[in-house]
Amino acid sequence: MTFEMRENRLKVTASWSGFGELLMGKPLENFARGIAEAIKDFCSAQATCPVLELESDEGVVHHVTPESAPALIKRIIWELRGKDFMLEGVSENGVRISATVRGGRFVRLTVRNSQNKETVIEADLSVLEVGPELFEGLPLDDTLKIKVRRI
């Protein structure tokens, strides 16, 4: 495996010399592509994550939006080394959010606005597949006080 940065692009190359060399072409290509995607997802989560001040299991997240919320979820699972968790948060304007991750999969999102209207989204997505479309249209554009509970 070789990794090479060319300007803002990462090039991942895999090669094999040994038994079954001719049969390894497509599997190696898929392997390299998978590694490149995982690195890209990790880097995008770090780059777009809202500012997170987390001490122990409580903290503050500044400026959570539908676009930055997936990065927050990915960052927390990274910090917890893949452990199951529930994120609970309250914004300054009264919005409450709860997100549950089990087995590396995003399984539930609950958002309650300041008028007590609740939106519940049941899902079964790998955390790496969670994108902004899941949070689209939800009242997220604020600072959250959060608690992270291991489950």
CSV table of all heavy atoms in Angstrom, one decimal, residues 110-139:
chain,number,residue,atom,x,y,z
A,110,THR,N,-33.9,12.1,17.3
A,110,THR,CA,-35.2,12.8,17.8
A,110,THR,C,-34.8,14.3,18.0
A,110,THR,O,-33.8,14.6,18.6
A,110,THR,CB,-35.6,12.2,19.1
A,110,THR,OG1,-35.8,10.8,19.0
A,110,THR,CG2,-36.9,12.9,19.6
A,111,VAL,N,-35.6,15.1,17.4
A,111,VAL,CA,-35.5,16.6,17.5
A,111,VAL,C,-36.8,17.2,17.9
A,111,VAL,O,-37.8,16.9,17.3
A,111,VAL,CB,-35.0,17.2,16.2
A,111,VAL,CG1,-34.9,18.7,16.4
A,111,VAL,CG2,-33.7,16.6,15.7
A,112,ARG,N,-36.8,18.0,19.0
A,112,ARG,CA,-38.0,18.6,19.5
A,112,ARG,C,-37.7,20.1,19.5
A,112,ARG,O,-36.7,20.6,20.1
A,112,ARG,CB,-38.3,18.2,20.9
A,112,ARG,CG,-39.5,18.8,21.5
A,112,ARG,CD,-39.9,18.3,22.9
A,112,ARG,NE,-40.3,16.9,22.7
A,112,ARG,CZ,-40.0,16.0,23.6
A,112,ARG,NH1,-39.4,16.3,24.7
A,112,ARG,NH2,-40.4,14.7,23.5
A,113,ASN,N,-38.5,20.9,18.7
A,113,ASN,CA,-38.3,22.3,18.7
A,113,ASN,C,-38.9,23.0,19.9
A,113,ASN,O,-39.4,22.4,20.8
A,113,ASN,CB,-38.9,22.9,17.4
A,113,ASN,CG,-40.4,22.9,17.3
A,113,ASN,OD1,-41.1,22.7,18.3
A,113,ASN,ND2,-41.0,23.0,16.1
A,114,SER,N,-38.7,24.3,19.9
A,114,SER,CA,-39.1,25.1,21.1
A,114,SER,C,-40.6,25.1,21.4
A,114,SER,O,-41.0,25.4,22.5
A,114,SER,CB,-38.5,26.5,21.0
A,114,SER,OG,-39.0,27.1,19.8
A,115,GLN,N,-41.4,24.8,20.4
A,115,GLN,CA,-42.8,24.7,20.6
A,115,GLN,C,-43.3,23.2,20.9
A,115,GLN,O,-44.4,22.9,20.9
A,115,GLN,CB,-43.6,25.1,19.3
A,115,GLN,CG,-43.5,26.6,19.0
A,115,GLN,CD,-42.2,27.0,18.3
A,115,GLN,OE1,-41.7,26.3,17.5
A,115,GLN,NE2,-41.7,28.2,18.7
A,116,ASN,N,-42.3,22.4,21.2
A,116,ASN,CA,-42.5,21.0,21.6
A,116,ASN,C,-43.0,20.1,20.4
A,116,ASN,O,-43.5,19.0,20.7
A,116,ASN,CB,-43.5,20.9,22.7
A,116,ASN,CG,-42.8,20.4,24.0
A,116,ASN,OD1,-41.6,20.2,24.0
A,116,ASN,ND2,-43.6,20.3,25.1
A,117,LYS,N,-42.8,20.5,19.2
A,117,LYS,CA,-43.1,19.6,18.0
A,117,LYS,C,-41.9,18.7,17.9
A,117,LYS,O,-40.7,19.1,17.8
A,117,LYS,CB,-43.3,20.5,16.8
A,117,LYS,CG,-43.6,19.6,15.6
A,117,LYS,CD,-43.7,20.4,14.3
A,117,LYS,CE,-43.9,19.5,13.1
A,117,LYS,NZ,-43.5,20.1,11.9
A,118,GLU,N,-42.2,17.4,17.8
A,118,GLU,CA,-41.1,16.4,17.8
A,118,GLU,C,-41.0,15.7,16.5
A,118,GLU,O,-42.0,15.4,15.9
A,118,GLU,CB,-41.4,15.4,18.9
A,118,GLU,CG,-40.3,14.3,19.1
A,118,GLU,CD,-40.5,13.4,20.2
A,118,GLU,OE1,-41.2,12.4,20.1
A,118,GLU,OE2,-39.9,13.7,21.3
A,119,THR,N,-39.8,15.5,16.0
A,119,THR,CA,-39.5,14.8,14.8
A,119,THR,C,-38.6,13.6,15.2
A,119,THR,O,-37.6,13.8,15.8
A,119,THR,CB,-38.7,15.6,13.7
A,119,THR,OG1,-39.5,16.8,13.4
A,119,THR,CG2,-38.4,14.9,12.5
A,120,VAL,N,-39.1,12.4,14.8
A,120,VAL,CA,-38.3,11.2,15.1
A,120,VAL,C,-37.9,10.5,13.8
A,120,VAL,O,-38.8,10.3,12.9
A,120,VAL,CB,-39.1,10.2,16.0
A,120,VAL,CG1,-38.3,8.9,16.2
A,120,VAL,CG2,-39.5,10.8,17.3
A,121,ILE,N,-36.7,10.2,13.6
A,121,ILE,CA,-36.2,9.5,12.4
A,121,ILE,C,-35.5,8.2,12.9
A,121,ILE,O,-34.5,8.2,13.6
A,121,ILE,CB,-35.2,10.4,11.7
A,121,ILE,CG1,-35.8,11.7,11.2
A,121,ILE,CG2,-34.6,9.6,10.5
A,121,ILE,CD1,-34.9,12.7,10.6
A,122,GLU,N,-36.1,7.1,12.5
A,122,GLU,CA,-35.5,5.8,12.7
A,122,GLU,C,-34.7,5.5,11.5
A,122,GLU,O,-35.1,5.6,10.4
A,122,GLU,CB,-36.6,4.7,12.9
A,122,GLU,CG,-37.6,5.0,14.0
A,122,GLU,CD,-37.0,4.6,15.4
A,122,GLU,OE1,-36.0,3.8,15.4
A,122,GLU,OE2,-37.6,5.1,16.4
A,123,ALA,N,-33.5,5.0,11.7
A,123,ALA,CA,-32.5,4.7,10.6
A,123,ALA,C,-31.7,3.4,11.0
A,123,ALA,O,-31.8,2.9,12.1
A,123,ALA,CB,-31.6,5.9,10.4
A,124,ASP,N,-31.0,2.9,10.0
A,124,ASP,CA,-30.0,1.9,10.2
A,124,ASP,C,-28.9,2.1,9.2
A,124,ASP,O,-28.8,1.4,8.2
A,124,ASP,CB,-30.7,0.5,10.0
A,124,ASP,CG,-29.7,-0.6,10.3
A,124,ASP,OD1,-28.8,-0.4,11.1
A,124,ASP,OD2,-30.0,-1.8,9.8
A,125,LEU,N,-28.1,3.2,9.5
A,125,LEU,CA,-27.0,3.6,8.6
A,125,LEU,C,-25.7,3.4,9.3
A,125,LEU,O,-25.6,3.8,10.5
A,125,LEU,CB,-27.2,5.1,8.3
A,125,LEU,CG,-28.3,5.5,7.4
A,125,LEU,CD1,-28.4,7.0,7.4
A,125,LEU,CD2,-28.2,5.0,6.0
A,126,SER,N,-24.7,3.0,8.5
A,126,SER,CA,-23.4,3.1,9.1
A,126,SER,C,-23.1,4.5,9.4
A,126,SER,O,-23.5,5.4,8.6
A,126,SER,CB,-22.4,2.5,8.0
A,126,SER,OG,-21.1,2.9,8.3
A,127,VAL,N,-22.3,4.8,10.4
A,127,VAL,CA,-22.0,6.2,10.8
A,127,VAL,C,-21.3,6.9,9.7
A,127,VAL,O,-21.5,8.1,9.4
A,127,VAL,CB,-21.2,6.2,12.1
A,127,VAL,CG1,-20.7,7.6,12.4
A,127,VAL,CG2,-22.1,5.8,13.3
A,128,LEU,N,-20.5,6.1,8.9
A,128,LEU,CA,-19.8,6.8,7.8
A,128,LEU,C,-20.7,7.2,6.7
A,128,LEU,O,-20.4,8.0,5.9
A,128,LEU,CB,-18.7,5.8,7.2
A,128,LEU,CG,-17.5,5.5,8.1
A,128,LEU,CD1,-16.6,4.5,7.5
A,128,LEU,CD2,-16.8,6.8,8.4
A,129,GLU,N,-21.9,6.6,6.6
A,129,GLU,CA,-22.9,7.0,5.6
A,129,GLU,C,-23.8,8.1,6.0
A,129,GLU,O,-24.6,8.6,5.2
A,129,GLU,CB,-23.7,5.7,5.2
A,129,GLU,CG,-23.0,4.6,4.6
A,129,GLU,CD,-23.8,3.4,4.4
A,129,GLU,OE1,-25.0,3.3,4.8
A,129,GLU,OE2,-23.2,2.4,3.9
A,130,VAL,N,-23.8,8.5,7.2
A,130,VAL,CA,-24.6,9.6,7.7
A,130,VAL,C,-24.2,10.9,7.0
A,130,VAL,O,-23.1,11.3,7.1
A,130,VAL,CB,-24.6,9.8,9.2
A,130,VAL,CG1,-25.3,11.0,9.7
A,130,VAL,CG2,-25.1,8.5,9.9
A,131,GLY,N,-25.2,11.5,6.4
A,131,GLY,CA,-24.9,12.8,5.7
A,131,GLY,C,-25.9,13.9,6.1
A,131,GLY,O,-26.9,13.7,6.8
A,132,PRO,N,-25.7,15.1,5.5
A,132,PRO,CA,-26.6,16.2,5.9
A,132,PRO,C,-28.1,16.0,5.5
A,132,PRO,O,-28.9,16.6,6.2
A,132,PRO,CB,-26.0,17.4,5.2
A,132,PRO,CG,-25.0,16.9,4.2
A,132,PRO,CD,-24.7,15.4,4.6
A,133,GLU,N,-28.3,15.2,4.5
A,133,GLU,CA,-29.7,15.0,4.1
A,133,GLU,C,-30.6,14.4,5.3
A,133,GLU,O,-31.8,14.7,5.4
A,133,GLU,CB,-29.9,14.1,2.9
A,133,GLU,CG,-29.3,12.8,3.0
A,133,GLU,CD,-27.8,12.7,2.8
A,133,GLU,OE1,-27.1,13.7,2.5
A,133,GLU,OE2,-27.2,11.6,3.1
A,134,LEU,N,-30.0,13.7,6.2
A,134,LEU,CA,-30.7,13.1,7.3
A,134,LEU,C,-31.2,14.3,8.3
A,134,LEU,O,-32.2,14.1,8.9
A,134,LEU,CB,-29.8,12.2,8.1
A,134,LEU,CG,-30.4,11.4,9.3
A,134,LEU,CD1,-31.4,10.4,8.7
A,134,LEU,CD2,-29.3,10.7,10.0
A,135,PHE,N,-30.5,15.4,8.3
A,135,PHE,CA,-30.8,16.5,9.2
A,135,PHE,C,-31.5,17.6,8.5
A,135,PHE,O,-31.8,18.7,9.1
A,135,PHE,CB,-29.5,17.0,9.9
A,135,PHE,CG,-28.8,15.9,10.7
A,135,PHE,CD1,-27.9,15.1,10.1
A,135,PHE,CD2,-29.1,15.8,12.1
A,135,PHE,CE1,-27.3,14.1,10.9
A,135,PHE,CE2,-28.4,14.8,12.8
A,135,PHE,CZ,-27.5,14.0,12.2
A,136,GLU,N,-31.7,17.5,7.2
A,136,GLU,CA,-32.3,18.5,6.4
A,136,GLU,C,-33.7,18.9,6.9
A,136,GLU,O,-34.5,18.1,7.2
A,136,GLU,CB,-32.4,18.0,5.0
A,136,GLU,CG,-32.4,19.1,3.9
A,136,GLU,CD,-32.2,18.5,2.5
A,136,GLU,OE1,-33.3,18.1,2.0
A,136,GLU,OE2,-31.1,18.4,2.1
A,137,GLY,N,-33.9,20.2,7.0
A,137,GLY,CA,-35.2,20.8,7.4
A,137,GLY,C,-35.4,20.8,8.9
A,137,GLY,O,-36.5,21.2,9.4
A,138,LEU,N,-34.4,20.3,9.7
A,138,LEU,CA,-34.6,20.3,11.2
A,138,LEU,C,-34.1,21.6,11.7
A,138,LEU,O,-33.2,22.3,11.2
A,138,LEU,CB,-33.8,19.1,11.8
A,138,LEU,CG,-34.3,17.7,11.3
A,138,LEU,CD1,-33.4,16.6,11.9
A,138,LEU,CD2,-35.7,17.5,11.8
A,139,PRO,N,-34.6,22.0,12.9
A,139,PRO,CA,-34.3,23.4,13.4
A,139,PRO,C,-32.9,23.4,14.1
A,139,PRO,O,-32.8,23.6,15.3
A,139,PRO,CB,-35.4,23.6,14.4
A,139,PRO,CG,-35.8,22.3,14.9
A,139,PRO,CD,-35.6,21.4,13.7
